[in-house]
Amino acid sequence: MGDGVGDFAFWIAMGLGQFAFWSAMGPIIKAFARRIDAKTGPGDERVMALEARLADLEQRGLTSGEVEAQFHRLAEVEERLDFAERMITRTESSLPAAEG
């Protein structure tokens, strides 16, 4: 069996170590809690600015026609590519076969 005084001293040391650890970590944990709370507060300027930017993007996307313009431009590029492929195919078929 273990020494009664040694076991008692061990548990006292463990308790004091825990107390010292949590005493040192308390301010750090509180600082993190304040930082998290400040980020998620209802009056946060960053959140309000982000919401304003999002509303602006949603409104602009619906009224500016940028998406439609890009769609038409892409369709034109596809037509040009198809034309170029047909011309290359036509040119290759009119060339004499290579002797090999």
Side-chain angles (χ1 to χ4, degrees), residues 17-99:
Q18 287 290 318
F19 178 76
F21 175 78
W22 289 113
S23 295
M25 292 301 290
I28 296 171
I29 293 170
K30 288 178 185 174
F32 278 126
R34 281 192 302 271
R35 184 172 178 164
I36 291 170
D37 187 41
K39 285 184 179 178
T40 59
D44 191 16
E45 294 175 7
R46 291 180 292 176
V47 172
M48 292 167 50
L50 184 60
E51 288 175 351
R53 287 179 57 198
L54 180 60
D56 182 47
L57 285 174
E58 287 175 347
Q59 181 184 12
R60 190 182 70 165
L62 295 175
T63 59
S64 68
E66 292 175 1
V67 174
E68 290 83 10
Q70 293 299 326
F71 177 76
H72 291 298
R73 185 171 180 202
L74 180 61
E76 183 180 334
V77 169
E78 288 175 345
E79 289 177 15
R80 290 181 182 199
L81 179 62
D82 289 340
F83 177 76
E85 288 175 344
R86 285 194 305 272
M87 294 305 292
I88 290 172
T89 304
R90 186 179 298 166
T91 305
E92 287 177 351
S93 65
S94 64
L95 293 176
E99 296 179 17

Side-chain angles (χ1 to χ4, degrees), residues 10-20:
F10 171 77
W11 289 111
I12 292 292
M14 290 295 291
L16 290 174
Q18 287 290 318
F19 178 76

